Structure formats: C-alpha cells, structure tokens
Amino acid sequence: MREGIREMLRKAGATVIGFASVADGLSEDIRHLSFAISIGVNGNLRESNLDHLKKLQKKTALFLRGKGYRFFCIPPDSDRINDSFASKLYPLFTHKIAATCAGIGWIGRNGLLISPTYGPRLSLATVLTDARFKTDLPIENCLCGDCMLCVDHCPSKAITGETWSRNAPYPDMIKADKCRSHKEKSRPVNGKPNCGLCINICPYGRGYIEIKSEVMEETQ
Ligand code: SF4
Ligand code: SF4
C-alpha cells in the first residue's frame, strides 16, 4: 500500500513523500491515527501550492478510505486557520516535525524544514491515518553542520543559532518579534510583508529555485 500511495502522489506532482510513526507527538484524542504521510511540493506556500497540496491530501484520503482506513488531513495552512480542530492541533504537531519523522529533512537554524535536496523550499502537508506502513528512517538532529549563513545574514538578528534535535524539538531558534518587525519595515511583495533571506541564502537545494537576488542585495 505504501508504494501505491507513493506512486499515486508522484504521478499527481508531489515532490517528496515520507511515511512516519508519530503516536508520541499526538494528543490523546487522535493517537489512534498514529501513522503520518508527509507530502511536500517544491516552492513556498503560495496559492497554487496550497491548492496542489490540498488536492494531494484529498487523493491520499480517497485512497485510504477505499481501503477501509481512517484518516485526518491537517491542512497545509493550518497555522493560519482559526477556530478549527486542526489549528488547535498544529502548535503541538507541525508539518515540519512530521517531515523530520518521515526522514524528509531536519529543522535548520532558520527554523524551517531543510531537505538535503530542496533545502527550505518545500511546502508541506500531513495526512494522519490508522493504516500501518513500513516507515522511513527519521532524522533526529540538525544537519546544518558548521553553516551559519542564515544566522550571520539575518537583517534583524532574529536567528539565534540554536540547533534543533528530536530531544530538544523547540529550542529558542527564532526571535519572532524581531523577524516580524523587520518584515513589516521591508519593501512589501504583493502587498504582504516580506524578507525571506533565510530561505534564499540556505545552500541546500539552491538549484531548485530562482534566487531572489534583489531581496538579498536589499537586506545584506
Ligand atoms: S525572514 Fe528575514 S528577518 Fe525573518 S528570520 Fe528570516 S532572514 Fe531574519
Ligand atoms: S543557511 Fe545554513 S545554518 Fe541556515 S538553515 Fe541553511 S544550512 Fe542551516
């Protein structure tokens, strides 16, 4: 079944797919859905990727339903949705933590999921299920190594340089208030606050996206 889901999602345009056992990270009321399918598409969570991820989740859900399994789709943008079960769940169990469990990447010093191939340039969604899979090997530690590029170049000094590991999953990596205030002051893109230098500067996966050189010049 795992390979059936993988093949279906690949054909539908998923960039990465991983399978994880996540019972330890779930609250009591959904712990019966103890396996996660982590799905990533290349690029940021702009509208087209959001819609694409939701379609991929729907395909996965239909596949699981057809086999008689239960499932719960955590929306890709659940951190932005208020007053829903998923948004309450999200702070406890984020898509990026699911992706680390599924071996897709690690949490980098910039606080984002870093894939060895795509860097911090994946948008993620998660489907929880009671189907049981052979799981992928989780990534347990930050693999940024000696790199400090995002720390050194963050224009607001919001990135502390702390590193993530499974044993310390929420270190004080990003001073969110500093980041937010810098983005508000920066030149808006499409009318929205903008920076993104900690994505653009990351050496992992740089071949997979056009580097926004004007943003880098502006903020360095
Ligand atoms: S978005 Fe900009 S200000 Fe915020 S952490 Fe990244 S580099 Fe720093
Ligand atoms: S820029 Fe370097 S330190 Fe920052 S997330 Fe990427 S690899 Fe890690």
Side-chain angles (χ1 to χ4, degrees):
M1 186 168 61
R2 171 190 150 108
E3 288 317 307
I5 291 175
R6 190 186 287 280
E7 196 187 331
M8 175 195 69
L9 289 173
R10 282 260 186 242
K11 277 188 189 153
T15 308
V16 290
I17 304 131
F19 298 84
S21 171
V22 293
D24 291 348
L26 299 176
S27 57
E28 192 64 42
D29 41 356
I30 55 165
R31 201 162 290 157
H32 57 290
L33 304 175
S34 62
F35 281 74
I37 303 164
S38 181
I39 307 165
V41 296
N42 194 14
N44 64 25
L45 202 55
R46 58 186 182 273
E47 210 54 46
S48 56
N49 267 350
L50 188 60
D51 291 346
H52 188 190
L53 278 167
K54 286 181 179 171
K55 281 181 190 151
L56 294 173
Q57 283 187 310
K58 199 169 176 186
K59 277 181 175 290
T60 309
L62 287 172
F63 186 103
L64 291 166
R65 180 180 289 154
K67 303 272 183 199
Y69 293 106
R70 290 197 283 179
F71 56 86
F72 179 68
C73 297
I74 306 179
D77 57 347
S78 53
D79 56 331
R80 303 178 199 162
I81 301 171
N82 293 323
D83 298 327
S84 75
F85 180 66
S87 68
K88 287 176 192 142
L89 172 72
Y90 191 78
L92 303 172
F93 185 76
T94 62
H95 296 302
K96 60 188 178 185
I97 292 292
T100 65
C101 296
I104 289 174
W106 64 93
I107 311 294
R109 288 196 172 93
N110 57 10
L112 302 169
L113 191 277
I114 309 293
S115 143
T117 308
Y118 301 97
R121 302 174 184 90
L122 287 174
S123 301
L124 298 162
T126 315
V127 179
L128 300 176
T129 178
D130 60 356
R132 302 184 73 80
F133 304 104
K134 179 177 181 295
T135 56
D136 293 298
L137 200 61
I139 295 182
E140 302 290 346
N141 295 295
C142 173
L143 299 179
C144 291
D146 294 336
C147 179
M148 295 289 276
L149 279 171
C150 58
V151 181
D152 293 344
H153 290 270
C154 170
S156 68
K157 302 289 172 217
I159 306 178
T160 64
E162 292 284 323
T163 53
W164 166 87
S165 76
R166 181 83 53 213
N167 294 331
Y170 300 107
D172 188 17
M173 290 193 291
I174 308 292
K175 301 285 182 199
D177 51 338
K178 288 187 177 181
C179 171
R180 199 175 309 117
S181 128
H182 170 76
K183 288 202 276 196
E184 294 292 345
K185 282 187 267 172
S186 303
R187 178 165 54 89
V189 170
N190 298 330
K192 293 181 183 162
N194 184 56
C195 175
L197 189 138
C198 54
I199 297 175
N200 291 327
I201 206 165
C202 183
Y204 282 98
R206 290 187 78 167
Y208 286 85
I209 201 165
E210 188 185 338
I211 305 300
K212 292 182 189 164
S213 55
E214 76 279 4
V215 174
M216 294 183 67
E217 281 162 17
E218 182 187 288
T219 49
Q220 271 177 334

